[in-house]
Amino acid sequence: MMSTEELYKNLLINLFQILKVMSVEEVKFFVKVDAITTADFKEITGVEYTE
């Protein structure tokens, strides 16, 4: 059985994989709802976050 930490890590890995195939505008939503940081946004999309 996986620990909570392992489950959380896998969840984040899966989320980033999904976000990488989404458009920049779609990923912006996740910053607006505080699900990811602006640094995460840049890592995922390759561009700086602007509103």
Side-chain angles (χ1 to χ4, degrees), residues 17-46:
Q17 289 174 338
I18 292 167
L19 292 173
K20 286 184 181 222
V21 298
M22 296 173 77
S23 73
V24 169
E25 290 303 314
E26 290 171 321
V27 178
K28 279 186 179 184
F29 169 80
F30 290 87
V31 176
K32 291 178 183 177
V33 298
D34 293 328
I36 62 172
T37 65
T38 55
D40 294 333
F41 178 86
K42 183 175 182 181
E43 181 181 333
I44 292 165
T45 64

